[in-house]
Every structure is written in structure tokens, then in C-alpha cells.
Amino acid sequence: MRLRYFIDSRYDEKAERFLPIGIWIHNPVDGSVDFYYPNQESSEYWDVMFVINRLAESDLKAPPDFLEFHQGRAGYRGMRSAIFEVETELGYDEFMKRTLQEFIERESHATAD
């Protein structure tokens, strides 16, 4: 299946850089969207939960430019990555967890160098 996604990051004062905290995905074929934030207490988690719930309650599919629209709406202390498009056989949950973990590991390796 084809998925589009971006990584949501928040500025960390101690690390003095942006750290990955979540992922948003969009399936352009069926218009479904999902997200994963390990910290479900974060304000970012609740912000995206609100967006997804509004779609679900209205029984709407996400438009083709869903990620582009939300990419530019990161919170004051955050930023969102470029939008990536991939083909994957993984289910949504596994894809999101693996992909976010890979970004986190890449960030930790980049700062170790």
C-alpha cells in the first residue's frame, strides 16, 4: 500500500534541537489517516486527536492535500518534516512505530557524531 507521512518534532531546550515525537500518515487511495505519539499526554497528541476525531465524526475522508495543510500548522515549539511517500506491506500501527523509531535513532546517531 502507498502511504504518505511526516514526522512531528518538538524543540527540546536541554538538547537545543528538535526531537521527533510523533508521526502522521495518510493513505491517498482510501483517504484514511492515522497517527502515533508514544507520549499520549503531550499537547501534540491531543491536537492531532482532535483533527482525526473531527474527520471521523463527520464521516469524511482526508483530502489529497491533508498532510500539506497540516504540515504548516505545527505548534509554537514544533516543526514538521518534509512529506515522504512510500510503498509498504506493513499495517498502519507497525509502520508508524517502526518509522518513528528509525527517525529517533537517526537523530541520536547524528548528535553522537
Side-chain angles (χ1 to χ4, degrees):
M1 104 183 97
R2 180 171 299 281
L3 292 178
R4 302 175 72 232
Y5 70 94
F6 64 66
I7 301 296
D8 197 2
S9 298
R10 180 188 319 128
Y11 189 74
D12 183 294
E13 300 268 341
K14 290 181 183 178
E16 297 181 338
R17 62 190 172 91
F18 287 92
L19 299 176
I21 59 166
I23 181 172
W24 295 39
I25 64 168
H26 175 233
N27 182 329
V29 174
D30 67 12
S32 62
V33 293
D34 207 345
F35 67 98
Y36 171 66
Y37 285 75
N39 179 0
Q40 295 181 0
E41 300 300 318
S42 71
S43 62
E44 292 86 358
Y45 172 87
W46 289 104
D47 289 347
V48 69
M49 178 69 86
F50 177 76
V51 170
I52 301 299
N53 282 341
R54 286 187 59 205
L55 282 173
E57 289 170 359
S58 302
D59 199 28
L60 296 173
K61 302 285 185 205
D65 64 346
F66 176 81
L67 292 181
E68 286 81 0
F69 178 79
H70 290 284
Q71 182 187 36
R73 297 183 178 283
Y76 178 72
R77 306 274 310 152
M79 68 175 228
R80 295 183 173 147
S81 73
I83 296 170
F84 302 97
E85 192 166 322
V86 297
E87 285 285 337
T88 182
E89 296 300 320
L90 299 175
Y92 285 8
D93 287 343
E94 187 175 358
F95 173 80
M96 289 185 296
K97 289 176 182 177
R98 280 189 186 185
T99 304
L100 182 60
Q101 186 59 40
E102 288 172 6
F103 268 80
I104 291 169
E105 288 173 6
R106 248 185 268 147
E107 280 297 311
S108 67
H109 285 54
T111 58
D113 295 337

